[in-house]
Amino acid sequence: MADITLTLPDGASRSYPAGITAGEVAADISTSLAKKAVSATYDGAHWDLAWPIEADGALAINTMKDDGPALELIRHDLAHIMARAVQSIWPDVKVTIGPVIENGWYYDFDRAEPFTPDDLGAIEAKMKEIINARDPVRTEVWDRPRAIAHYEELGEPYKVELIEAIPGDEPLRMYWHGDWQDLCRGPHLQHTGQVPADAFKLMRVSGAYWRGDSSRQMLQRIYGVAFRNRDDLKKHLTFLEEAEKRDHRRLGREMDLFHMQEEAPGQVFWHPNGWTIYTALQDYMRRKQRAGGYREINTPQVVDRKLWEASGHWEKYQHHMFIVEVDESRDGENDDASAKNRAETRINALKPMNCPCHVQVYNQGLKSYRDLPLRLAEFGSCARYEPSGALHGIMRVRGFTQDDAHIFCTEEQIEEECARFIEFLAAVYEDLGFPTFEIKFATRPEKRVGTEESWDYVENALEEAIRKTGRTYTLEPGDGAFYGPKLDFYLTDAIGRVWQCGTFQVDPNLPERLDANYIGADGEKHRPFMLHRACVGSFERFIGILIEEHAGRMPLWLAPTQVSVCSIVSDADDFVHEAVASLQAAGLRAEADIRNEKINYKVREHSMAKVPVILAIGQREVENRTVTVRRLGEKQTQTVPLDELITSLTEEALPPDLKARAATGTA
RNA sequence: GCCGCAGUAGCUCAGUGGUAGAGCGCACCCUUGGUAAGGGUGAGGUCGGGAGUUCAAUCCUCCCCUGCGGCACCA
């Protein structure tokens, strides 16, 4: 057998007979390495120590110190160990799949009885037993018929289906942990004892459809998290606790921002505090849009189904629309005969989106190519009957308002408008505290309308527009709408969750369906393109993100109450009122607290309410017309003249766009 | 929509087959206190909604609603 040459990370080369396993190489290097080894990296591929190597290449032996491979292996082996534990407790449970995910793994089971929290404890205990048994991991390659026959005999129909779905007739890899066996791509650890027994935790059980298909069997999924050591696990659990404290639903209640109730599921009752944030954000967007060349409009909420039929939404989204039937015979209360002669009910829908209405505005009066691009913006309130299970605080709701706009333009103008929009959105995100975002570019799907030339042109225009802004994107092939490609813009919040907010979508379809046109330079009628775009997306969701990003400590310009003015002694009450009046006259949101409470108590309360600036006024301040300032989260205080404070706070509390303007104005 | 869990005072939660309790908050009183909880007294509940079992249901059973964690969905 021919020799092969393997290059090790230190640059040394070693020769071995072809077919040597990575584990044998590790043993050849040193016995301690062979013991510590968890896997190998062979020519960039994650390689099981038991797999043979047949050709020259670069080989590195991984140990638990290599966090990428180690975590992958720990989580993957735990998935198998959990499945084995479950089947050893409940032998009739059917196994399916168990992939590694962020921070851990899950495994889907088919079992008639639901898993209870107690069951999770039992499974965890059994898993620890398996780990402590240090069962060697063994692997073999089988052909398909043998594997299928094997699983049919075992009564594991899901495994049979998985094998049948694997394309081609490549051989299949089997793994054993002790006597338990699973179909698996690998790699795996050397033995179960390499998994740290104190660094994992089963988190929850939930339902999941087999193969992600809602028409198929609902399985039970158990999620676990795992790390290399106990400390990392603890850190992760602490992080989850911190994340819970930032939950916008919790902060919404604690800060008295909004509430929701069962009479209006998925819809927000904004309280004065929350609405202050909302309107501050909306005012900001309104100014930005004006400056960005948009004209603001407003369109009806309740619209006859005829328009939704014409736009195509009725056919596709009827079940997600709030339908409003109006008994029109009420009009004819005094004239029964004429009422009966008419259709008695008229069917309307609450608008689920603004675009058809915007086309109606566009369609009023004849448009010239000189009118294009025409940018129509609306803070459009929409209602969508979202599935009950999709609702999530104010992030996913049934009633929401978008910073929606539609740009009517020619094909040649798409690229320029797209580039303009990306710059616009980047500036807004920067102002709102999100300097980085991700662009996903969704291209033509399999089912689509329009010519290939048109798709080529439009996709190319978007790509060129992104290139011009110097940004990068990830491609999502086939994810575009049936009529055009789109860009989606994603933000990552402070706890690492990713949210889609902005969108930019090219649509030649709706102008066609709703017969929008313009007169070109050639004197002929032409069809405009319509660009759907949103920047913050839904205000509800965006405010939810802002709350969680800032853990409720909103930047000064967005804070519901910007300044709380507290008396220390009741003799200071008059000056407190005077200070509040002056702050309010300067446009600041200030409130007095002259309650009969100690200053400690007041500071604690306003701190917990996350008021950015707390002022204390006692005898000394009254005498000197000063205030003692304590910034949220800081221990030190500073005593300054009231007038000075008002000047600096007024400047500081300007929204980002006005602050920038003020800065360039004085420069 | 699907699977699972939950719903008791404004909030967080305890509790029992004989119609309820704590802490915080709230109101009032005492306290005028210098930067994250001063003390006292008091009010506050159709125990998510409906039906059933029972002499008796907040508790047991069924249906519904809402929420939570996932899955599916997201024009």
Side-chain angles (χ1 to χ4, degrees):
Chain A
M1 192 176 271
D3 276 7
I4 57 169
T5 304
L6 296 175
T7 312
L8 303 177
D10 62 4
S13 289
R14 288 174 181 238
S15 276
Y16 295 102
I20 190 168
T21 66
E24 286 161 355
V25 174
D28 184 53
I29 295 169
S30 83
T31 43
S32 68
L33 182 63
K35 215 171 162 187
K36 283 191 300 193
V38 292
S39 68
T41 302
Y42 169 58
D43 274 356
H46 198 189
W47 205 257
D48 195 299
L49 293 172
W51 294 351
I53 299 171
E54 305 289 355
D56 293 355
L59 184 78
I61 304 297
N62 300 317
T63 68
M64 278 296 166
K65 289 200 174 113
D66 300 291
D67 57 332
L71 281 173
E72 171 84 21
L73 291 161
I74 289 168
R75 290 165 183 167
H76 195 174
D77 277 61
L78 277 165
H80 284 231
I81 290 168
M82 181 170 78
R84 175 177 167 191
V86 166
Q87 284 199 316
S88 84
I89 303 173
W90 301 278
D92 53 339
V93 171
K94 307 291 176 228
V95 291
T96 66
I97 53 163
V100 171
I101 54 173
E102 194 180 8
N103 299 318
W105 81 93
Y106 66 77
Y107 206 109
D108 288 348
F109 300 97
D110 184 11
R111 177 185 180 222
E113 298 293 307
F115 290 111
T116 65
D118 285 350
D119 291 342
L120 292 191
I123 296 167
E124 224 172 85
K126 180 61 91 179
M127 289 170 71
K128 284 180 179 162
E129 258 177 54
I130 295 170
I131 290 169
N132 291 332
R134 302 172 67 85
D135 279 334
V137 175
R138 187 162 64 77
T139 178
E140 279 178 22
V141 175
W142 285 12
D143 60 27
R144 292 162 79 96
R146 181 178 177 198
I148 289 174
H150 172 75
Y151 280 121
E152 274 173 349
E153 194 182 324
L154 277 180
E156 294 283 8
Y158 298 96
K159 289 289 179 192
V160 172
E161 191 180 330
L162 279 176
I163 293 169
E164 283 168 348
I166 296 173
D169 52 8
E170 61 202 81
L172 304 165
R173 192 164 275 285
M174 293 295 192
Y175 270 91
W176 283 258
H177 282 178
D179 58 353
W180 191 83
Q181 171 270 343
D182 201 358
L183 168 77
C184 185
R185 208 179 280 127
H188 278 285
L189 293 165
Q190 297 194 55
H191 59 86
T192 58
Q194 284 188 312
V195 175
D198 60 351
F200 76 93
K201 184 168 159 57
L202 303 188
M203 300 299 283
R204 65 174 67 94
V205 45
S206 71
Y209 296 109
W210 170 233
R211 316 215 89 191
D213 182 343
S214 60
S215 66
R216 306 200 62 179
Q217 175 81 21
M218 175 67 70
L219 305 169
Q220 294 189 66
R221 174 172 298 178
I222 302 178
Y223 285 92
V225 293
F227 298 88
R228 282 186 296 171
N229 52 59
R230 196 185 160 78
D231 277 354
D232 285 359
L233 173 67
K234 266 191 175 166
K235 263 185 232 156
H236 178 73
L237 297 177
T238 307
F239 170 80
L240 291 181
E241 277 169 32
E242 290 304 311
E244 208 179 307
K245 287 185 196 151
R246 291 174 171 249
D247 191 306
H248 75 279
R249 291 165 297 191
R250 176 178 172 150
L251 288 169
R253 192 171 47 243
E254 288 175 0
M255 296 171 70
D256 196 16
L257 303 176
F258 58 83
H259 85 273
M260 302 173 94
Q261 64 185 52
E262 60 178 272
E263 288 81 357
Q267 293 170 91
V268 187
F269 292 77
W270 287 102
H271 298 189
N273 285 345
W275 194 244
T276 301
I277 298 175
Y278 190 111
T279 51
L281 181 62
Q282 194 178 51
D283 291 347
Y284 163 83
M285 284 309 298
R286 180 170 279 133
R287 288 190 304 270
K288 287 298 276 189
Q289 282 180 353
R290 262 186 214 150
Y294 292 86
R295 309 290 310 279
E296 189 174 329
I297 61 173
N298 196 267
T299 61
Q301 301 291 315
V302 184
V303 178
D304 195 290
R305 70 185 270 185
K306 282 190 293 234
L307 182 64
W308 307 114
E309 283 169 348
S311 71
H313 291 102
W314 188 262
E315 190 194 355
K316 218 174 162 197
Y317 294 109
Q318 194 191 138
H319 297 296
H320 295 282
M321 288 161 83
F322 281 97
I323 309 294
V324 184
E325 283 188 32
V326 179
D327 180 357
E328 296 209 324
S329 67
R330 284 180 310 188
D331 291 351
E333 263 174 329
N334 304 318
D335 186 357
D336 286 344
S338 75
K340 290 213 168 75
N341 288 336
R342 288 187 268 132
E344 292 204 347
T345 58
R346 176 170 167 146
I347 297 177
N348 304 280
L350 299 188
K351 68 172 168 184
M353 57 190 333
N354 307 297
C355 28
C357 290
H358 284 199
V359 178
Q360 307 313 304
V361 173
Y362 176 88
N363 280 352
Q364 296 300 303
L366 209 53
K367 293 294 181 291
S368 150
Y369 70 98
R370 296 173 190 277
D371 295 321
L372 307 183
L374 181 62
R375 308 185 191 95
L376 297 179
E378 175 175 7
F379 296 114
S381 288
C382 297
R384 295 180 184 175
Y385 191 80
E386 298 285 1
S388 57
L391 302 179
H392 178 85
I394 65 174
M395 302 288 214
R396 186 82 184 271
V397 286
R398 289 185 176 153
F400 59 94
T401 300
Q402 288 173 303
D403 64 326
D404 200 8
H406 295 92
I407 302 170
F408 295 86
C409 66
T410 66
E411 194 169 42
E412 296 72 42
Q413 290 169 331
I414 292 173
E415 183 185 316
E416 161 73 13
E417 287 305 309
C418 182
R420 263 180 84 116
F421 175 67
I422 296 172
E423 298 294 9
F424 177 86
L425 172 135
V428 168
Y429 285 4
E430 171 92 38
D431 279 351
L432 296 175
F434 300 96
T436 59
F437 57 90
E438 196 192 344
I439 305 177
K440 286 193 178 159
F441 180 15
T443 56
R444 68 191 83 182
E446 281 194 17
K447 278 191 185 171
R448 57 179 180 265
V449 296
T451 63
E452 293 308 289
E453 294 74 47
S454 168
W455 276 96
D456 287 344
Y457 182 89
V458 174
E459 285 179 358
N460 192 47
L462 296 194
E463 197 179 355
E464 186 59 21
I466 303 173
R467 200 193 55 74
K468 270 189 186 161
T469 65
R471 294 181 181 272
T472 55
Y473 62 87
T474 51
L475 200 60
E476 305 264 295
D479 264 9
F482 69 89
Y483 47 75
K486 63 173 180 175
L487 304 179
D488 283 325
F489 299 86
Y490 292 81
L491 291 180
T492 302
D493 67 20
I495 37 183
R497 288 175 311 185
V498 176
W499 298 96
Q500 194 227 310
C501 296
T503 188
F504 183 94
Q505 200 167 327
V506 181
D507 183 3
N509 182 57
L510 200 59
E512 181 75 32
R513 296 192 70 126
L514 298 178
D515 194 28
N517 47 60
Y518 67 92
I519 307 298
D522 56 1
E524 301 291 317
K525 262 192 187 179
H526 296 276
R527 200 62 84 192
F529 274 74
M530 197 176 176
L531 309 177
H532 308 255
R533 43 112 295 172
C535 191
V536 306
S538 124
F539 277 91
E540 285 75 8
R541 171 179 297 182
F542 201 87
I543 290 169
I545 296 169
L546 280 173
I547 292 168
E548 300 196 352
E549 162 77 12
H550 295 292
R553 302 174 166 214
M554 306 306 277
L556 193 59
W557 71 281
L558 286 172
T561 298
Q562 295 169 316
V563 192
S564 281
V565 189
C566 307
S567 57
I568 295 171
V569 292
S570 50
D571 284 348
D573 290 0
D574 288 346
F575 190 50
V576 166
H577 283 127
E578 189 191 329
V580 167
S582 305
L583 287 158
Q584 286 177 344
L588 291 158
R589 297 185 287 270
E591 277 172 25
D593 183 355
I594 56 163
R595 289 175 305 167
N596 177 15
E597 296 291 352
K598 293 195 171 168
I599 191 63
N600 292 20
Y601 184 90
K602 293 183 185 180
V603 165
R604 174 179 153 84
E605 195 160 272
H606 296 293
S607 297
M608 289 197 310
K610 301 178 171 61
V611 176
V613 181
I614 300 168
L615 304 184
I617 296 179
Q619 202 54 50
R620 294 201 296 271
E621 286 81 3
V622 173
E623 281 159 18
N624 303 316
R625 296 190 60 78
T626 56
V627 291
T628 297
V629 186
R630 177 180 165 132
R631 293 288 179 143
L632 181 59
E634 287 178 13
K635 282 262 186 284
Q636 321 89 302
T637 61
Q638 200 187 358
T639 302
V640 296
L642 175 61
D643 294 345
E644 254 175 51
L645 178 83
I646 291 175
T647 308
S648 65
L649 271 190
T650 309
E651 166 72 27
E652 189 185 335
L654 282 175
D657 57 320
L658 299 181
K659 206 179 271 186
R661 201 183 295 171
T664 53
T666 54

